[in-house]
Amino acid sequence: QVQLVESGGGLVQAGGSLRLSCVASGISFSRYGMGWFRQAPGKERDFVAAISMSNMSGNRTNYGDSVKGRFTVSRDNAKDTVYLQMNTLKPEDTADYYCAAKFLGGADSGGYAYWGQGTQVTVSS
């Protein structure tokens, strides 16, 4: 049974930082591309960031335009965990954040098969 469990959300002031974590179980983690998405109330789900499966060349990353230069995605295969470091947070970053997994995935924004339950991030102005 595949499980993705996010944590690290919370309330932070604008300009602050948070680090989200997503622990995976039930999959061979290093062979999965991992993505982060977010959904604000009343809005569609948006792509935030992705990191490719691990290979001899390392990992590729990809970011949504609104978070480039502020967010960083990384992974620790020994811990079956993907991270999203969020800096210089803005009120418009307020949303539920979800991680997702895709077998043999690159750093793509689509095609994810497994999803977590989400963690809430609220940025106050």
Side-chain angles (χ1 to χ4, degrees):
Q1 181 182 1
V2 179
Q3 278 195 314
L4 302 175
V5 180
E6 302 95 337
S7 63
L11 173 65
V12 64
Q13 288 188 332
S17 298
L18 281 176
R19 188 177 81 156
L20 305 184
S21 301
C22 172
V23 179
S25 60
I27 60 174
S28 181
F29 182 73
S30 65
R31 302 181 73 189
Y32 279 73
M34 301 298 296
W36 285 98
F37 296 79
R38 66 187 182 186
Q39 187 167 20
K43 296 188 177 181
E44 294 185 352
R45 185 172 61 197
D46 288 333
F47 169 71
V48 175
I51 186 165
S52 66
M53 63 173 282
S54 299
N55 55 38
M56 292 181 66
S57 301
N59 301 105
R60 287 174 285 112
T61 58
N62 183 26
Y63 297 92
D65 289 341
S66 63
V67 307
K68 284 180 181 177
R70 299 188 298 123
F71 290 11
T72 302
V73 60
S74 61
R75 65 190 298 157
D76 184 341
N77 291 335
K79 296 182 178 179
D80 292 347
T81 301
V82 60
Y83 303 98
L84 184 68
Q85 177 67 43
M86 306 186 295
N87 298 329
T88 319
L89 282 160
K90 305 175 182 180
E92 50 264 44
D93 295 318
T94 295
D96 291 326
Y97 283 72
Y98 300 88
C99 73
K102 177 169 60 174
F103 184 58
L104 298 180
D108 304 311
S109 61
Y112 289 85
Y114 303 107
W115 294 83
Q117 293 299 307
T119 186
Q120 188 174 54
V121 172
T122 303
V123 184
S124 64
S125 57

